[in-house]
Amino acid sequence: MANHSATKKDVRQASKRRDRNRYYGKTTRNAIRDLKTSAEKKGYEEKLPDVISMIDKLAKRGIIHKNKAANLKSKLVKKATALA
């Protein structure tokens, strides 16, 4: 690591961002997992908009790719229609 103060600050900022991104990613993955294990249609459809919103936020922030977000949402909606 360089001894420049700007570089030290950049390292601190990157560490904070990495921790924050890992938190958001893990929280969303847990929400997706919980949603997938939900068996009843009513509970699934109540949680689905919240999880989709979380996925969209991850894509907007650049934590996951926009195509991965689209694939995740597609699979979740496909399961919602299958529960019908």
Side-chain angles (χ1 to χ4, degrees), residues 53-68:
S53 174
M54 293 170 80
I55 292 170
D56 285 336
K57 286 177 187 172
L58 288 183
K60 181 179 75 173
R61 291 179 179 136
I63 299 170
I64 61 173
H65 195 271
K66 63 177 186 171
N67 290 350
K68 180 175 178 65

Side-chain angles (χ1 to χ4, degrees), residues 9-19:
K9 179 179 178 181
D10 187 46
V11 169
R12 288 193 310 268
Q13 288 177 327
S15 176
K16 280 184 182 179
R17 285 190 207 109
R18 182 172 52 251
D19 291 341

Side-chain angles (χ1 to χ4, degrees), residues 42-76:
K42 182 175 178 156
Y44 191 92
E45 289 183 346
E46 287 176 358
K47 295 177 187 176
L48 185 62
D50 295 333
V51 174
I52 286 178
S53 174
M54 293 170 80
I55 292 170
D56 285 336
K57 286 177 187 172
L58 288 183
K60 181 179 75 173
R61 291 179 179 136
I63 299 170
I64 61 173
H65 195 271
K66 63 177 186 171
N67 290 350
K68 180 175 178 65
N71 288 335
L72 287 171
K73 292 190 298 184
S74 174
K75 288 177 186 177
L76 293 174

